[in-house]
Amino acid sequence: MTPYSGLAGSSSPAGWLAVAGLGPGGAQWVTPEVSQALAEATDIVGYRSYVARVEPRPGVVLHTSDNGDELARAAHALRLAEQGRRVVVVSSGDPGVFAMAAAVFEALEQGPLAWRALDLRVLPGVSAMLAAAAQVGAPLGHDFCAINLSDNLKPWDLLEHRLRLALQGDFVVALYNPRSQARPHGFARALELLRGTCGEAEAARRPLVFARCVCTPQQHLRVVTLSQARPEMADMRTLVIVGSSQSRLIERDGVPWVYAPRSAPRASR
């Protein structure tokens, strides 16, 4: 019996659905749990560039779709599992971080009640922010948050509000999806907001990490200050980490180490 042959109480012991994270790059970042699910699957469902990362084999059907089709993709996967198929929905990084796990549960909530009895599991992966952080030291060593800079599914004023609150709380901030051809100006507005909120002196010392195509042969890392950051330094394949007021740099040959101290100064009473 495999780990995916049926959960207790499941009414569909033959079929299952796993929402899996492929990690940020090469095969070494895929967990053994995800590798096992992929080896047992009859169907792989996902955005075409992520499905392309799965090695094809006889007997497995690949279902690809375009970006923006997440809910339809999730409902299709649920229907396949209901039919007794062994389905893996793939995401880059971790499926629960701005990825397909939320779409699957949204489709599940909106769909037939029978779907709630399916054997459904979320298999975690290494997220882009964790992989990027590991390449430059420990920038997430203290309190941090993650914000998706795409305003496709939320209004820009809400995004700005959350950025301001993150800075007010002095969080390190991991910024996903900072800039794309369809959204060329959003990251510039975010940088202006960050600089305006921090002030000129703080912007001149607060570090930003730009990690593009992290953990792939195309990986490119850059560490600059907030005052030096430019919109063209990022695209959709870039993860940006904005340091807090306590973040530190350790200079060395090449890209400096960046870390956030484990403790924060106590407020004066």
Side-chain angles (χ1 to χ4, degrees), residues 42-264:
T42 59
D43 298 80
I44 308 294
V45 178
Y47 177 49
R48 61 184 70 255
S49 64
Y50 302 151
V51 172
R53 291 174 54 186
V54 178
E55 186 173 353
R57 57 178 172 79
V60 66
V61 181
L62 306 180
H63 306 260
T64 63
S65 54
D66 292 324
N67 202 15
D69 296 335
E70 289 83 4
L71 272 181
R73 185 187 308 152
H76 179 58
L78 287 160
R79 284 191 293 269
L80 289 171
E82 186 180 26
Q83 295 165 12
R85 309 287 291 179
R86 302 187 299 276
V87 185
V88 178
V89 176
V90 292
S91 291
S92 180
D94 181 275
V97 180
F98 306 126
M100 280 301 299
V104 168
F105 284 105
E106 186 175 353
L108 180 72
E109 183 180 25
Q110 297 174 3
L113 290 177
W115 285 358
R116 303 188 184 194
L118 290 172
D119 181 340
L120 170 60
R121 298 188 183 189
V122 179
L123 310 183
V126 179
S127 71
M129 64 180 172
L130 299 181
Q135 303 303 303
V136 296
L140 307 180
H142 197 58
D143 296 339
F144 67 90
C145 65
I147 295 177
N148 186 346
L149 279 186
S150 171
D151 59 351
N152 290 336
L153 297 176
K154 61 177 177 284
W156 182 261
D157 58 350
L158 175 60
L159 198 158
E160 287 192 349
H161 178 63
R162 289 175 174 172
L163 276 174
R164 288 193 179 93
L165 290 178
L167 291 176
Q168 180 181 334
D170 203 20
F171 287 98
V172 174
V173 187
L175 298 177
Y176 280 73
N177 302 322
R179 187 168 178 262
S180 69
Q181 291 184 348
R183 297 180 291 101
H185 306 300
F187 186 50
R189 294 173 64 181
L191 288 176
E192 290 176 6
L193 184 154
L194 292 169
R195 284 192 278 259
T197 304
C198 289
E200 185 176 346
E202 179 62 28
R205 57 164 300 277
R206 186 174 295 227
L208 265 69
V209 177
F210 289 83
R212 187 177 189 276
C213 299
V214 67
C215 302
T216 74
Q218 294 77 41
Q219 173 175 293
H220 179 72
L221 303 173
R222 177 184 293 183
V223 177
V224 300
T225 64
L226 175 55
S227 60
Q228 295 170 329
R230 298 292 178 263
E232 60 271 16
M233 293 179 180
D235 61 14
M236 280 293 286
R237 302 191 68 186
T238 305
L239 189 284
V240 181
I241 298 177
V242 182
S244 74
S245 67
Q246 302 302 309
S247 295
R248 298 288 182 265
L249 287 180
I250 302 176
E251 296 294 344
R252 59 171 180 153
D253 289 339
V255 179
W257 294 116
V258 183
Y259 80 99
R262 292 180 299 151
S263 60

